[in-house]
Amino acid sequence: MRKIAIYGKGGIGKSTTTSNLTAALIEKGYKVMQIGCDPKADSTTNLLSGESLITVLDAIKEKGGDVELEDIVKIGYKGALCVEAGGPTPGIGCAGRGIITAFEKLEELDAYNIYKPDIIIYDVLGDVVCGGFAMPIRGGYANDVFIVSSGEMMALYAASNISSAIKNFGTRGYAKLGGIILNSRNVEDEENIVNKAAEEIGTKVVKKIPRDGHVQLAEQQGKTVVEAYPESEMAKHYLELAELILEGTRHEEE
């Protein structure tokens, strides 16, 4: 089972990239579980025809110890297994702690053995890499981390912070950095800027995802590009990304 974490600054297109990656991997015949690790709980929306699902934290609040897998795992596009960790009421509690609680509940309910996904993808907010937000790196959950970034300064700053966190935990045999996914914002000289930044933090750009209007059109329908416009050039880019991610994580099957 491959376990992959996708990190990136909020608003960079991380969840869009992740959900399209999940859809592309499903098209390639893999069973994928996507776990949203952001208090906004919108990671899996485009895999669920625009619907939201109850978060793990909200389910625990409502049902306490009576939570069942069917309450927190919803089947989406072509069998996509969708989970949202959720977070506390804004201004109250720790969002990072919410991720830890969600992970513990999934393990308690034996979710991974029951659903048996080929690939688990954690979609993690990367503005801060502390506590629960670092859980996929330091907890031994993910084997590989990919960072979504653009050529914008704050996105690259977040990428640098995430890279540092991975290196700090790397000595303990936790997740390794697989590379940067360039989600283009059409910044001037963007590709060179991001390639240089990747080199400075000791990694590479795995794939450039161009800016394309099909993304917004698909999201207006509550779908991924892979589902809504399967013949588009943009869908092909996500399918190529899926293949590159598979190649980059093949060591997990060796």
Side-chain angles (χ1 to χ4, degrees), residues 20-30 32 119 121 242-243 246:
N20 274 284
L21 172 60
T22 290
L25 289 166
I26 288 170
E27 291 295 338
K28 291 181 177 292
Y30 292 87
V32 185
I119 302 170
I121 300 181
E243 193 57 46
L246 288 171

Side-chain angles (χ1 to χ4, degrees), residues 157-173:
Y157 178 74
S160 178
N161 282 344
I162 297 161
S163 172
S164 295
I166 295 166
K167 288 175 182 175
N168 288 339
F169 291 115
T171 55
R172 307 179 198 180

Side-chain angles (χ1 to χ4, degrees), residues 19-137:
S19 57
N20 274 284
L21 172 60
T22 290
L25 289 166
I26 288 170
E27 291 295 338
K28 291 181 177 292
Y30 292 87
K31 188 175 185 179
V32 185
M33 174 179 279
Q34 181 171 320
I35 302 175
C37 303
D38 187 319
K40 295 196 307 296
D42 59 356
S43 172
T44 60
T45 301
N46 293 329
L47 294 167
L48 294 166
S49 300
E51 295 181 18
S52 57
L53 71 162
I54 186 169
T55 68
V56 178
L57 281 190
D58 284 345
I60 292 171
K61 288 175 188 174
E62 288 182 18
K63 293 195 170 187
D66 296 326
V67 173
E68 299 179 355
L69 277 178
E70 291 74 17
D71 297 321
I72 58 176
V73 181
K74 191 165 184 178
I75 308 301
Y77 176 68
K78 291 189 177 181
L81 300 163
C82 302
V83 180
E84 295 285 355
T89 302
I92 303 173
C94 171
R97 180 62 202 169
I99 296 171
I100 295 170
T101 301
F103 283 15
E104 289 173 347
K105 179 56 69 173
L106 287 168
E107 288 188 330
E108 178 190 322
L109 296 174
D110 205 25
Y112 309 124
N113 287 324
I114 290 172
Y115 288 107
K116 292 182 168 57
D118 302 308
I119 302 170
I120 299 173
I121 300 181
Y122 303 97
D123 175 12
V124 195
L125 182 66
D127 294 80
V128 288
V129 190
C130 62
F133 292 106
M135 194 73 174
I137 299 173

Side-chain angles (χ1 to χ4, degrees), residues 9-23:
K9 178 187 176 297
I12 201 62
K14 171 183 51 63
S15 293
T16 296
T17 301
T18 303
S19 57
N20 274 284
L21 172 60
T22 290

Side-chain angles (χ1 to χ4, degrees), residues 198-249:
E199 185 178 345
E200 288 175 355
I201 62 177
T203 190
K204 63 184 185 298
V205 173
V206 175
K207 167 80 177 161
K208 176 184 177 181
I209 304 295
R211 197 166 180 82
D212 190 299
H214 282 96
V215 174
Q216 285 71 36
L217 290 172
E219 291 188 339
Q220 287 168 12
Q221 302 171 50
K223 297 178 180 179
T224 63
V225 175
V226 173
E227 178 183 4
Y229 303 102
E231 302 302 320
S232 67
E233 285 299 313
M234 198 60 176
K236 292 175 184 176
H237 280 291
Y238 288 121
L239 288 164
E240 288 173 8
L241 173 63
E243 193 57 46
L244 290 165
I245 295 291
L246 288 171
E247 184 61 36
T249 60

